[in-house]
Amino acid sequence: MTKAEFVASVAEKTGLTKVAAAEAVDAFVGTVAEVLKAGDKITLPGFGTFSVSARAARKGRNPQTGAEIQIAASKSGKFSAGKDLKGL
């Protein structure tokens, strides 16, 4: 499903216009991004949890040359499905 299809579905289910539904979807995505950048997590009971996952620095290999490289530590967003989504 594309973002446009998702927005159309939200608009149909809520009775909002597509423009208003797009604003709501953008606001949700923006809020999740802001909270994760701040290092917090968001829990939506039954749906799931958005959180930050930290990856430690590690050694890797360049697949073309085989040379060992250092991969820096990083953080990324993570979603864990809630009870209602598990087993779909």
Side-chain angles (χ1 to χ4, degrees), residues 4 10 12 29 31-33 36 40 42 47 55 59 62 73 76 81:
V10 169
E12 182 180 323
V29 171
T31 301
V32 169
L36 293 179
D40 293 331
I42 298 176
F47 181 70
R55 296 182 189 157
K59 292 182 182 178
N62 181 330
S76 65

Side-chain angles (χ1 to χ4, degrees), residues 28 31-44 47-55 74-81:
F28 174 76
T31 301
V32 169
E34 288 174 12
V35 169
L36 293 179
K37 285 179 184 176
D40 293 331
K41 70 178 184 175
I42 298 176
T43 301
L44 303 172
F47 181 70
T49 301
F50 295 92
S51 60
V52 177
S53 176
R55 296 182 189 157
S74 64
K75 294 180 182 179
S76 65
K78 173 183 166 185
F79 177 77
S80 299

